[in-house]
Amino acid sequence: EKAGYDHFMLKEIYEQPKAYRDTMGSRISADHKQIVLEEVQMTKEQIQDIHNIHIVACGTAYHAGLVGKTVIESLARIPVETDVASEYRYRNPIITPNTLVIVVSQSGETADTLAALREAKRCGARVLAITNVVGSSVAREADDVIVTWAGPEIAVASTKAYTSQLIAFYLLGLYLAQTLETQEAGAIADVIQALEKLPEQVEAILAEAEVVRDYAERISKHEHLFFIGRGLDFNVAQEGSLKLKEISYIHSEAYAAGELKHGTLALIEEGTPVIALATQEMLFEKTVSNIKEVAARGASVMGLAIEGDDELKKSVDELFTIPKTLPLLTPALSVVPLQLLSYYASLARGNDVDKPRNLAKSVTVE
Ligand code: M6R
């Protein structure tokens, strides 16, 4: 059932182009200009009445929600907060009938996420679920459901579920924008066009999957490392860091690159590996200067940038690139080399890749 792959995780990483295509599927109009979300029953008036959005989830799904915040805010101009479910439900959040609460859960059975959903409904909010399991508890209890068609995810470390959650957020952000007319029709069509290119761009990254292997083997000998980035790169860094910790047991921390000098820089020593994401055009120069800061203190830096941004080569020890896309869509590409990096690091350490110690696939206890 691993279809020739050594591990479910690797199989699921390779299933991502299909997961992207299936999740977009019939949700893009035949003329490629509009999003069709038939499963979202909210009327135009109800969408116009949304004052704010809360995205609530755990773990990797929370990391997808961090990207979702930027996606929805920039496309639909609705204020969004993203919270970890186990915090949200106990912090007496301000939920009104004009709040849309979006819960994100691969399994649809995570106890804290389900409890947050119930708390949101009790306060009169509408709840939209993004889930991978049709008929799960979260799917049954939410008002609207967007199913991510990633197919069953077996490995404990989430890969294709995360990326299809990103696709769901792009579709939803565009749908809200087109309903609220916060973007011109041409701008929406441009994003859709870029979105439709993602599956083949992921295929191109996967065709060269082995390029990160050497570097993964090198970091597998370390006990601590950092991921840094700004904006969406920071959110992908958070996911990359979780993935690495979860299956390789290497301690790592994801840091907003601009925060380094407020304390963390003290931890950089000769040889400390730093994985720096620099895919955001607007933030590129700023990130490069943070890379120089860590390199000057002896860090061994792996850069992740957009194809053609060779300028970074001068400041890093290793440079990996991803194909060019819109800045908003880069997370759907940049996370893939990081998934591969943790896979190969876990393998190099001889760990049980698919079943990391202490963890369960579905966390149904609080
Ligand atoms: O099924 P869910 O999406 O609700 O699960 C949430 C987290 O438990 C899950 O994403 C976890 O963080 C993954 N093992 C990370 O790879």
Side-chain angles (χ1 to χ4, degrees):
E1 52 195 286
K2 286 183 202 150
Y5 290 94
D6 290 342
H7 297 94
F8 282 110
M9 183 185 182
L10 194 62
K11 172 173 177 267
E12 288 159 7
I13 289 174
Y14 275 83
E15 283 171 346
Q16 290 178 112
K18 178 171 173 3
Y20 288 31
R21 288 192 181 102
D22 291 350
T23 303
M24 286 181 224
S26 54
R27 290 160 173 165
I28 292 175
S29 65
D31 63 4
H32 307 272
K33 291 193 170 134
Q34 287 224 312
I35 301 300
V36 191
L37 279 185
E38 268 160 15
E39 57 269 76
V40 174
Q41 315 267 304
M42 266 184 290
T43 62
K44 183 172 182 173
E45 289 67 37
Q46 283 170 322
I47 293 178
Q48 284 167 334
D49 281 345
I50 300 172
H51 290 178
N52 64 335
I53 295 179
H54 291 170
I55 301 176
V56 189
C58 302
T60 284
Y62 164 71
H63 292 153
L66 293 173
V67 174
K69 168 184 163 74
T70 300
V71 170
I72 294 174
E73 287 190 343
S74 52
L75 292 171
R77 307 306 295 159
I78 303 170
V80 184
E81 274 176 78
T82 303
D83 240 310
V84 164
S86 56
E87 290 295 318
Y88 182 79
R89 55 181 295 207
Y90 299 114
R91 76 166 168 83
N92 197 11
I94 303 170
I95 307 172
T96 74
N98 296 100
T99 307
L100 172 67
V101 175
I102 302 177
V103 294
V104 191
S105 175
Q106 187 283 128
S107 62
E109 302 297 342
T110 299
D112 282 315
T113 308
L114 191 57
L117 177 159
R118 290 178 180 154
E119 173 63 10
K121 290 199 79 169
R122 196 185 61 79
C123 298
R126 193 176 179 96
V127 176
L128 183 150
I130 296 179
T131 180
N132 198 36
V133 181
V134 181
S136 59
S137 304
V138 160
R140 278 185 278 116
E141 295 191 28
D143 299 296
D144 298 292
V145 182
I146 300 180
V147 175
T148 50
W149 296 106
E153 194 181 59
I154 311 292
V156 168
S158 179
T159 54
K160 62 175 182 171
Y162 169 79
T163 45
S164 33
Q165 284 156 4
L166 298 183
I167 301 295
F169 273 117
Y170 294 131
L171 296 172
L172 179 63
L174 287 166
Y175 182 73
L176 295 173
Q178 117 202 339
T179 310
L180 296 170
E181 296 174 29
T182 47
Q183 303 291 328
E184 309 226 331
I188 290 185
D190 287 348
V191 182
I192 291 177
Q193 202 185 22
L195 206 54
E196 290 187 302
K197 268 202 212 145
L198 291 174
E200 62 200 67
Q201 292 179 316
V202 173
E203 277 158 7
I205 298 171
L206 294 173
E208 294 182 26
E210 292 274 329
V211 297
V212 298
R213 193 165 186 155
D214 259 10
Y215 187 77
E217 285 169 5
R218 253 188 289 151
I219 60 168
S220 73
K221 301 191 177 76
H222 288 260
E223 289 305 327
H224 305 279
L225 62 89
F226 287 92
F227 286 82
I228 62 169
R230 287 171 178 257
L232 288 171
D233 282 338
F234 172 44
N235 301 142
V236 176
Q238 289 168 285
E239 173 56 11
S241 173
L242 172 63
K243 212 94 301 175
L244 187 74
K245 282 181 280 210
E246 183 174 28
I247 58 168
S248 77
Y249 317 149
I250 299 169
H251 173 247
S252 74
E253 205 172 326
Y255 237 77
E259 270 289 295
L260 285 172
K261 35 176 146 347
H262 301 287
T264 312
L265 213 44
L267 287 163
I268 305 290
E269 302 175 297
E270 194 60 42
T272 307
V274 174
I275 297 167
L277 285 79
T279 72
Q280 300 295 300
E281 222 170 281
M282 297 269 293
L283 302 165
F284 187 75
E285 292 308 325
K286 296 277 173 204
T287 307
V288 170
S289 72
N290 299 128
I291 290 173
K292 288 181 176 154
E293 279 165 6
V294 293
R297 275 118 191 135
S300 144
V301 186
M302 181 203 116
L304 186 62
I306 303 278
E307 244 160 41
D309 281 346
D310 294 334
E311 193 196 319
L312 207 60
K313 264 202 184 118
K314 289 175 270 161
S315 335
V316 299
D317 300 279
E318 268 325 312
L319 180 66
F320 297 117
T321 58
I322 54 165
K324 189 160 177 60
T325 184
L326 297 175
L328 202 59
L329 305 189
T330 56
L333 299 180
S334 58
V335 75
V336 179
L338 302 186
Q339 296 168 341
L340 290 163
L341 195 70
S342 30
Y343 173 75
Y344 289 125
S346 172
L347 210 60
R349 288 187 150 211
N351 295 351
D352 187 346
V353 175
D354 286 335
K355 286 202 182 72
R357 67 187 183 202
N358 310 342
L359 298 173
K361 180 66 185 162
S362 187
V363 185
T364 51
V365 291
E366 298 186 6

